[in-house]
Amino acid sequence: MSQTFETAPAHTVRPGTVVDEDGVIFSTVFRSCKSCGLILYRLSDLDETVIPFTDEYRYGSLYSVKVKGLKPGRFAYRYYRDDYSFEDPYARELITLSTKNGPLTACRLFPQNENALPAYGYNSVRPWADQVIYVMHVKGFTASRTSHVAHRGTFRGVTEKIDELKKIGVTAIELLPVYELRPASLGKISGAPNAEESEKTMAQDAAKYVTDDFGTPKPEAQKVNYWGFGEGCYFAPKHAYASSKSPQQEFASMVDMLHQNGIQVYLQLFFTDDVSNQTQLETARFYVTHYHVDGFHIKGADSALKTIASDPMLSNTAILYYGFPYEELQKEDSENPTVGKPSIAHLCEYTDSYMYLVRRFVKSDNNVAREFAKQFVTVPEVHGRVHFVTNYDTFTLRDLVSYNWKHNAPNGEEGRDGNDNNCSWNCGVEGKSQKKDVRTLRLRQMKNFIALNFLSQGTPVLTAGDEMCNSQDGNNNAYCQDNETGWVSWKETGESRNVNEFTKDMAAFRRDHAIFRRRNPFKFNDYKVTGYPDVSFHGKDAWKPDFSNYSHTFGVMYDEDYAEENPTHNLVYVAVNMHWHNQLLGVPTPPPGLKWYVTCDTFEENSFFEHPQLLPDQRHIFVKGRSVCILVTSPEPEKSQNATAIVAMTSYFHRYTGIQSRY
């Protein structure tokens, strides 16, 4: 039997629901409809109560009504427009009701006290140059049994890996969509024409997405939207990503725990074309005020980038996007010129141009060295700029060095999906290989990619699992692979341990040498009169770089006197050789009292040396094929240490000079 409620106009100014002491306020937008209203479902017996909306409940297209005496924990709701019912786009949580015609998605009222969620706090964007961003899918990050966490595939599972994130230098995580997707079908309201037929159709549609208790599609289910891009209920954290019955609290706890460990949280927000600018802005504001999220990667064909980026409330919130209308954003407000120009320091350009360039360079393409070297040392001004080798929608790092072509057959689209332009190289064998020389070269190439990504100016982005040699078997578009293919493999092998340790060491090296985290562009001259320019390029001879069409090699030297944080009198020299043959590079003479030491060589299995090795020929370094070496100046060892130094020098003399040692 339907229940009767007392209703009254609420006249709110924004959509959503608000629970107060004597009822609930419902507010939503309806445009050009004959009839509209609210459907309440009593959870005890799924009895329906329909509350029509009349003109007294609206201002413009915004309808709002207060339902008095409604106990929020006992009811769920949907809205209807003409003959169709649908979920509230502003719902805080979606639940599934088991009706006689099958599952029905409804919106749960949110009875928890707002004070139970984190209070709004001051956001501050960490300098872009100091950041290392880690892109992950919440479920896929720990869903595999190899993750060895207690709460696989959940927000809590992410927190169980915080120590691993810190070890590889992660300062921020970028999460693929974490909100609920709106179901594809609309339901007919009770009493409308063909209502029963429509409800059966909706139940059949829901059955396509049948999953087991862990949220994984059963064999009979059709492909699922694993990545989570589509029309969303943006305010509702995803139930499937929670190990508890409260995804809101679990998501909030994850954000809080990451913050306690110095890791910021960025959310990907994907907006379809029909999502209004107002809704997009309110979504961003909601996650900042309710969950203290630190930033957003705005995605979609018609996003409200300018509205979000220029919003005063979000001026300390990181905004990442593919391309920015910087000039428009920096115009003064003509209506209120006293405010001044808006800052764009919180914005970050997120493009894949670096990805293609570094891939071509590392696989030894011609006509690339000059442009890559330029990007390698170019410091973004005013706003941020990320760079990455892989991302969630590309080959993994392991697959990048193992496949020449995408292998997307399991997606069921006959290979039509995914990027055909991967700029990858399989090192001689397509796919898995047991050949020692192939495996050794692949290991070296992975470390070359990691080294160049971390040492490039700007903000490096890592893709979850790359540091563990995660593979998707050549699938570069695992959007529907909610299984071991799309999940991160944490299986430890000799290779994965090697790459993981190298990633940790490279992150520590970047952190310790602020010259790789510049805020202001290099000037390529010695404006401090230290005896060396801030940065300089070198070739076979010092100070004479070779950027001809067929060059694959260059050296770049940095004077750490020009570091903007903790400057020192040391020099750092990065020798990059992506030619398949060994190459000789000239090295400038170090200052008096200092010598060049080799601290890292990707050609070596253990690439970072516990004790840096004295470079035998202080004017040249012999760089092995397809490898990166890092030299750092340091005082020469005391005479008491000469015997140890001679042994080490004997071992490395031939390697770095190409001639035999006399010892």
Short mmCIF file of all heavy atoms in Angstrom, two decimals, residues 71-114:
data_model
loop_
_atom_site.label_atom_id
_atom_site.label_comp_id
_atom_site.label_asym_id
_atom_site.label_seq_id
_atom_site.Cartn_x
_atom_site.Cartn_y
_atom_site.Cartn_z
N LYS A 71 11.90 8.98 6.40
CA LYS A 71 13.06 8.39 7.07
C LYS A 71 14.04 7.92 5.99
O LYS A 71 13.77 6.96 5.27
CB LYS A 71 12.65 7.22 7.95
CG LYS A 71 11.62 7.57 9.02
CD LYS A 71 12.21 8.55 10.04
CE LYS A 71 11.21 8.85 11.15
NZ LYS A 71 11.74 9.84 12.11
N PRO A 72 15.17 8.58 5.83
CA PRO A 72 16.03 8.31 4.69
C PRO A 72 16.56 6.88 4.63
O PRO A 72 16.74 6.33 3.55
CB PRO A 72 17.18 9.32 4.86
CG PRO A 72 17.13 9.74 6.28
CD PRO A 72 15.70 9.67 6.67
N GLY A 73 16.81 6.25 5.77
CA GLY A 73 17.36 4.90 5.75
C GLY A 73 16.38 3.83 5.30
O GLY A 73 16.76 2.69 5.09
N ARG A 74 15.10 4.22 5.13
CA ARG A 74 14.07 3.23 4.79
C ARG A 74 13.62 3.32 3.34
O ARG A 74 12.78 2.53 2.90
CB ARG A 74 12.86 3.41 5.70
CG ARG A 74 13.17 3.23 7.17
CD ARG A 74 11.94 3.46 8.04
NE ARG A 74 12.26 3.38 9.46
CZ ARG A 74 11.38 3.59 10.43
NH1 ARG A 74 10.13 3.94 10.12
NH2 ARG A 74 11.74 3.50 11.70
N PHE A 75 14.16 4.26 2.58
CA PHE A 75 13.66 4.49 1.22
C PHE A 75 14.82 4.68 0.23
O PHE A 75 15.91 5.14 0.59
CB PHE A 75 12.76 5.73 1.17
CG PHE A 75 11.42 5.54 1.82
CD1 PHE A 75 11.27 5.72 3.20
CD2 PHE A 75 10.31 5.18 1.07
CE1 PHE A 75 10.05 5.54 3.81
CE2 PHE A 75 9.08 5.00 1.67
CZ PHE A 75 8.94 5.18 3.04
N ALA A 76 14.53 4.31 -1.02
CA ALA A 76 15.37 4.65 -2.16
C ALA A 76 14.49 5.42 -3.14
O ALA A 76 13.26 5.51 -2.96
CB ALA A 76 15.94 3.39 -2.82
N TYR A 77 15.09 5.98 -4.19
CA TYR A 77 14.27 6.81 -5.08
C TYR A 77 14.82 6.81 -6.50
O TYR A 77 15.97 6.47 -6.76
CB TYR A 77 14.19 8.24 -4.55
CG TYR A 77 15.47 9.03 -4.67
CD1 TYR A 77 15.68 9.93 -5.72
CD2 TYR A 77 16.49 8.89 -3.73
CE1 TYR A 77 16.85 10.67 -5.84
CE2 TYR A 77 17.67 9.63 -3.83
CZ TYR A 77 17.84 10.51 -4.88
OH TYR A 77 19.00 11.22 -5.00
N ARG A 78 13.94 7.17 -7.43
CA ARG A 78 14.26 7.51 -8.81
C ARG A 78 13.40 8.71 -9.20
O ARG A 78 12.42 9.02 -8.53
CB ARG A 78 13.94 6.34 -9.76
CG ARG A 78 14.90 5.16 -9.66
CD ARG A 78 14.36 3.94 -10.42
NE ARG A 78 14.33 4.14 -11.87
CZ ARG A 78 15.31 3.78 -12.70
NH1 ARG A 78 16.42 3.22 -12.21
NH2 ARG A 78 15.20 3.96 -13.99
N TYR A 79 13.77 9.38 -10.27
CA TYR A 79 12.93 10.44 -10.84
C TYR A 79 12.24 9.90 -12.08
O TYR A 79 12.68 8.91 -12.68
CB TYR A 79 13.76 11.66 -11.21
CG TYR A 79 14.26 12.45 -10.02
CD1 TYR A 79 15.62 12.57 -9.75
CD2 TYR A 79 13.37 13.09 -9.16
CE1 TYR A 79 16.09 13.30 -8.68
CE2 TYR A 79 13.82 13.82 -8.07
CZ TYR A 79 15.19 13.92 -7.84
OH TYR A 79 15.63 14.64 -6.76
N TYR A 80 11.15 10.56 -12.48
CA TYR A 80 10.54 10.21 -13.76
C TYR A 80 10.28 11.48 -14.56
O TYR A 80 10.06 12.57 -14.00
CB TYR A 80 9.24 9.40 -13.57
CG TYR A 80 8.06 10.19 -13.05
CD1 TYR A 80 7.20 10.86 -13.92
CD2 TYR A 80 7.77 10.22 -11.69
CE1 TYR A 80 6.10 11.57 -13.45
CE2 TYR A 80 6.68 10.93 -11.20
CZ TYR A 80 5.85 11.61 -12.09
OH TYR A 80 4.77 12.31 -11.62
N ARG A 81 10.34 11.33 -15.85
CA ARG A 81 10.05 12.41 -16.79
C ARG A 81 9.15 11.83 -17.87
O ARG A 81 9.56 10.90 -18.57
CB ARG A 81 11.34 12.97 -17.39
CG ARG A 81 11.13 14.04 -18.45
CD ARG A 81 12.48 14.47 -19.03
NE ARG A 81 12.33 15.50 -20.04
CZ ARG A 81 12.07 15.28 -21.32
NH1 ARG A 81 11.93 14.03 -21.76
NH2 ARG A 81 11.95 16.29 -22.17
N ASP A 82 7.95 12.35 -17.99
CA ASP A 82 6.95 11.79 -18.90
C ASP A 82 6.79 10.30 -18.58
O ASP A 82 6.46 9.96 -17.46
CB ASP A 82 7.33 12.04 -20.35
CG ASP A 82 7.36 13.54 -20.67
OD1 ASP A 82 6.62 14.29 -20.00
OD2 ASP A 82 8.13 13.96 -21.55
N ASP A 83 7.09 9.40 -19.52
CA ASP A 83 6.84 7.97 -19.28
C ASP A 83 8.04 7.23 -18.70
O ASP A 83 7.93 6.03 -18.41
CB ASP A 83 6.44 7.28 -20.59
CG ASP A 83 5.08 7.74 -21.08
OD1 ASP A 83 4.30 8.22 -20.24
OD2 ASP A 83 4.82 7.64 -22.29
N TYR A 84 9.20 7.90 -18.55
CA TYR A 84 10.41 7.18 -18.19
C TYR A 84 10.92 7.58 -16.81
O TYR A 84 10.83 8.73 -16.39
CB TYR A 84 11.52 7.44 -19.22
CG TYR A 84 11.21 6.82 -20.57
CD1 TYR A 84 10.59 7.56 -21.56
CD2 TYR A 84 11.52 5.49 -20.82
CE1 TYR A 84 10.29 7.00 -22.80
CE2 TYR A 84 11.23 4.92 -22.04
CZ TYR A 84 10.61 5.67 -23.03
OH TYR A 84 10.32 5.09 -24.24
N SER A 85 11.48 6.60 -16.11
CA SER A 85 12.12 6.88 -14.84
C SER A 85 13.64 6.70 -14.99
O SER A 85 14.11 5.98 -15.87
CB SER A 85 11.59 5.94 -13.74
OG SER A 85 12.05 4.62 -13.95
N PHE A 86 14.39 7.36 -14.12
CA PHE A 86 15.86 7.32 -14.25
C PHE A 86 16.50 7.66 -12.90
O PHE A 86 15.84 8.17 -11.98
CB PHE A 86 16.33 8.31 -15.32
CG PHE A 86 15.87 9.72 -15.10
CD1 PHE A 86 16.63 10.62 -14.38
CD2 PHE A 86 14.64 10.15 -15.61
CE1 PHE A 86 16.20 11.91 -14.17
CE2 PHE A 86 14.21 11.45 -15.40
CZ PHE A 86 14.99 12.34 -14.67
N GLU A 87 17.80 7.38 -12.80
CA GLU A 87 18.54 7.66 -11.57
C GLU A 87 18.86 9.15 -11.48
O GLU A 87 19.01 9.84 -12.48
CB GLU A 87 19.85 6.87 -11.52
CG GLU A 87 19.70 5.37 -11.66
CD GLU A 87 19.51 4.93 -13.10
OE1 GLU A 87 19.74 5.75 -14.02
OE2 GLU A 87 19.12 3.77 -13.30
N ASP A 88 18.98 9.62 -10.26
CA ASP A 88 19.35 11.02 -10.01
C ASP A 88 20.83 11.21 -10.38
O ASP A 88 21.70 10.55 -9.81
CB ASP A 88 19.14 11.31 -8.53
CG ASP A 88 19.52 12.74 -8.16
OD1 ASP A 88 19.82 13.54 -9.07
OD2 ASP A 88 19.51 13.05 -6.95
N PRO A 89 21.14 12.11 -11.32
CA PRO A 89 22.56 12.34 -11.66
C PRO A 89 23.38 12.83 -10.48
O PRO A 89 24.60 12.72 -10.48
CB PRO A 89 22.48 13.42 -12.76
CG PRO A 89 21.09 13.36 -13.29
CD PRO A 89 20.23 12.92 -12.14
N TYR A 90 22.70 13.37 -9.45
CA TYR A 90 23.40 13.90 -8.28
C TYR A 90 23.34 12.93 -7.10
O TYR A 90 23.66 13.31 -5.96
CB TYR A 90 22.81 15.24 -7.87
CG TYR A 90 23.15 16.36 -8.83
CD1 TYR A 90 22.44 16.52 -10.02
CD2 TYR A 90 24.20 17.24 -8.57
CE1 TYR A 90 22.76 17.54 -10.91
CE2 TYR A 90 24.52 18.25 -9.45
CZ TYR A 90 23.80 18.39 -10.62
OH TYR A 90 24.13 19.40 -11.50
N ALA A 91 22.95 11.70 -7.34
CA ALA A 91 22.85 10.72 -6.25
C ALA A 91 24.21 10.47 -5.62
O ALA A 91 25.24 10.45 -6.30
CB ALA A 91 22.28 9.41 -6.78
N ARG A 92 24.23 10.24 -4.32
CA ARG A 92 25.47 9.97 -3.60
C ARG A 92 25.79 8.49 -3.58
O ARG A 92 26.93 8.10 -3.29
CB ARG A 92 25.34 10.50 -2.17
CG ARG A 92 25.11 11.99 -2.08
CD ARG A 92 26.37 12.77 -2.29
NE ARG A 92 27.29 12.56 -1.19
CZ ARG A 92 27.25 13.21 -0.03
NH1 ARG A 92 26.31 14.13 0.17
NH2 ARG A 92 28.13 12.98 0.91
N GLU A 93 24.78 7.64 -3.85
CA GLU A 93 25.04 6.19 -3.86
C GLU A 93 23.94 5.50 -4.66
O GLU A 93 22.76 5.83 -4.52
CB GLU A 93 25.08 5.64 -2.44
CG GLU A 93 25.42 4.16 -2.38
CD GLU A 93 25.52 3.64 -0.95
OE1 GLU A 93 25.60 4.47 -0.02
OE2 GLU A 93 25.53 2.40 -0.77
N LEU A 94 24.32 4.54 -5.50
CA LEU A 94 23.37 3.71 -6.23
C LEU A 94 23.28 2.34 -5.58
O LEU A 94 24.29 1.79 -5.13
CB LEU A 94 23.79 3.56 -7.70
CG LEU A 94 23.88 4.83 -8.54
CD1 LEU A 94 24.16 4.47 -10.00
CD2 LEU A 94 22.61 5.66 -8.44
N ILE A 95 22.07 1.79 -5.53
CA ILE A 95 21.87 0.44 -5.02
C ILE A 95 21.01 -0.32 -6.02
O ILE A 95 20.36 0.27 -6.89
CB ILE A 95 21.20 0.44 -3.63
CG1 ILE A 95 19.84 1.13 -3.69
CG2 ILE A 95 22.10 1.09 -2.60
CD1 ILE A 95 19.07 1.07 -2.37
N THR A 96 20.99 -1.64 -5.91
CA THR A 96 20.19 -2.48 -6.79
C THR A 96 19.03 -3.08 -6.01
O THR A 96 19.24 -3.72 -4.98
CB THR A 96 21.04 -3.60 -7.41
OG1 THR A 96 22.14 -3.02 -8.13
CG2 THR A 96 20.21 -4.45 -8.36
N LEU A 97 17.82 -2.85 -6.50
CA LEU A 97 16.62 -3.41 -5.89
C LEU A 97 16.19 -4.65 -6.67
O LEU A 97 16.18 -4.64 -7.90
CB LEU A 97 15.49 -2.38 -5.89
CG LEU A 97 15.81 -1.02 -5.25
CD1 LEU A 97 14.59 -0.10 -5.35
CD2 LEU A 97 16.24 -1.18 -3.81
N SER A 98 15.85 -5.69 -5.97
CA SER A 98 15.42 -6.94 -6.62
C SER A 98 13.91 -6.92 -6.79
O SER A 98 13.16 -7.33 -5.89
CB SER A 98 15.87 -8.15 -5.79
OG SER A 98 17.28 -8.18 -5.67
N THR A 99 13.45 -6.45 -7.93
CA THR A 99 12.02 -6.39 -8.20
C THR A 99 11.55 -7.70 -8.82
O THR A 99 12.35 -8.56 -9.20
CB THR A 99 11.70 -5.23 -9.15
OG1 THR A 99 12.19 -5.54 -10.45
CG2 THR A 99 12.36 -3.94 -8.65
N LYS A 100 10.24 -7.82 -9.01
CA LYS A 100 9.70 -9.04 -9.60
C LYS A 100 10.12 -9.20 -11.05
O LYS A 100 10.11 -10.31 -11.60
CB LYS A 100 8.17 -9.04 -9.49
CG LYS A 100 7.51 -7.87 -10.24
CD LYS A 100 6.00 -7.90 -10.08
CE LYS A 100 5.36 -6.72 -10.82
NZ LYS A 100 3.88 -6.72 -10.67
N ASN A 101 10.50 -8.10 -11.69
CA ASN A 101 10.93 -8.15 -13.09
C ASN A 101 12.45 -8.13 -13.25
O ASN A 101 12.96 -7.95 -14.35
CB ASN A 101 10.33 -6.98 -13.87
CG ASN A 101 8.82 -7.09 -13.99
OD1 ASN A 101 8.30 -8.18 -14.26
ND2 ASN A 101 8.12 -5.99 -13.77
N GLY A 102 13.15 -8.28 -12.14
CA GLY A 102 14.60 -8.29 -12.21
C GLY A 102 15.20 -7.12 -11.47
O GLY A 102 14.50 -6.33 -10.81
N PRO A 103 16.53 -6.95 -11.55
CA PRO A 103 17.21 -5.90 -10.79
C PRO A 103 16.85 -4.51 -11.31
O PRO A 103 16.70 -4.29 -12.50
CB PRO A 103 18.70 -6.21 -11.00
CG PRO A 103 18.75 -6.99 -12.27
CD PRO A 103 17.49 -7.78 -12.32
N LEU A 104 16.70 -3.57 -10.39
CA LEU A 104 16.40 -2.19 -10.72
C LEU A 104 17.37 -1.29 -9.97
O LEU A 104 17.52 -1.41 -8.75
CB LEU A 104 14.96 -1.84 -10.32
CG LEU A 104 14.54 -0.37 -10.49
CD1 LEU A 104 14.43 -0.04 -11.98
CD2 LEU A 104 13.22 -0.11 -9.78
N THR A 105 18.04 -0.41 -10.69
CA THR A 105 18.97 0.52 -10.05
C THR A 105 18.21 1.70 -9.47
O THR A 105 17.41 2.33 -10.16
CB THR A 105 20.01 1.03 -11.05
OG1 THR A 105 20.70 -0.08 -11.62
CG2 THR A 105 21.02 1.94 -10.36
N ALA A 106 18.45 2.00 -8.20
CA ALA A 106 17.80 3.13 -7.54
C ALA A 106 18.85 3.90 -6.75
O ALA A 106 19.99 3.46 -6.61
CB ALA A 106 16.69 2.65 -6.62
N CYS A 107 18.44 5.05 -6.24
CA CYS A 107 19.36 5.93 -5.52
C CYS A 107 19.08 5.82 -4.03
O CYS A 107 17.93 5.98 -3.59
CB CYS A 107 19.17 7.38 -5.96
SG CYS A 107 19.22 7.60 -7.75
N ARG A 108 20.12 5.56 -3.27
CA ARG A 108 19.95 5.50 -1.82
C ARG A 108 20.10 6.90 -1.24
O ARG A 108 20.97 7.66 -1.65
CB ARG A 108 21.02 4.59 -1.19
CG ARG A 108 20.79 4.32 0.29
CD ARG A 108 21.81 3.33 0.83
NE ARG A 108 23.10 3.95 1.07
CZ ARG A 108 23.45 4.58 2.20
NH1 ARG A 108 22.57 4.70 3.18
NH2 ARG A 108 24.64 5.08 2.35
N LEU A 109 19.22 7.22 -0.31
CA LEU A 109 19.37 8.48 0.40
C LEU A 109 20.58 8.38 1.33
O LEU A 109 20.90 7.31 1.84
CB LEU A 109 18.10 8.79 1.19
CG LEU A 109 16.91 9.15 0.31
CD1 LEU A 109 15.61 9.08 1.09
CD2 LEU A 109 17.10 10.54 -0.27
N PHE A 110 21.23 9.47 1.51
CA PHE A 110 22.50 9.47 2.24
C PHE A 110 22.28 10.03 3.64
O PHE A 110 22.36 11.23 3.87
CB PHE A 110 23.51 10.33 1.47
CG PHE A 110 24.93 10.10 1.89
CD1 PHE A 110 25.59 8.93 1.56
CD2 PHE A 110 25.62 11.07 2.61
CE1 PHE A 110 26.90 8.73 1.92
CE2 PHE A 110 26.94 10.87 2.98
CZ PHE A 110 27.58 9.70 2.65
N PRO A 111 21.96 9.15 4.61
CA PRO A 111 21.58 9.63 5.94
C PRO A 111 22.75 10.01 6.82
O PRO A 111 22.58 10.63 7.85
CB PRO A 111 20.84 8.43 6.53
CG PRO A 111 21.50 7.25 5.89
CD PRO A 111 21.87 7.69 4.49
N GLN A 112 23.99 9.63 6.45
CA GLN A 112 25.13 9.93 7.31
C GLN A 112 25.29 11.42 7.52
O GLN A 112 25.04 12.22 6.63
CB GLN A 112 26.43 9.36 6.72
CG GLN A 112 26.54 7.85 6.88
CD GLN A 112 26.08 7.15 5.62
OE1 GLN A 112 25.24 7.68 4.90
NE2 GLN A 112 26.62 5.98 5.36
N ASN A 113 25.73 11.75 8.71
CA ASN A 113 26.02 13.14 9.03
C ASN A 113 27.15 13.64 8.13
O ASN A 113 28.17 12.97 7.98
CB ASN A 113 26.43 13.24 10.51
CG ASN A 113 26.52 14.68 10.97
OD1 ASN A 113 26.94 15.55 10.23
ND2 ASN A 113 26.11 14.91 12.21
N GLU A 114 26.95 14.81 7.54
CA GLU A 114 27.99 15.36 6.67
C GLU A 114 29.31 15.51 7.40
O GLU A 114 30.38 15.46 6.81
CB GLU A 114 27.56 16.73 6.12
CG GLU A 114 26.37 16.67 5.17
CD GLU A 114 26.76 16.12 3.81
OE1 GLU A 114 27.95 16.12 3.49
OE2 GLU A 114 25.86 15.67 3.09
#
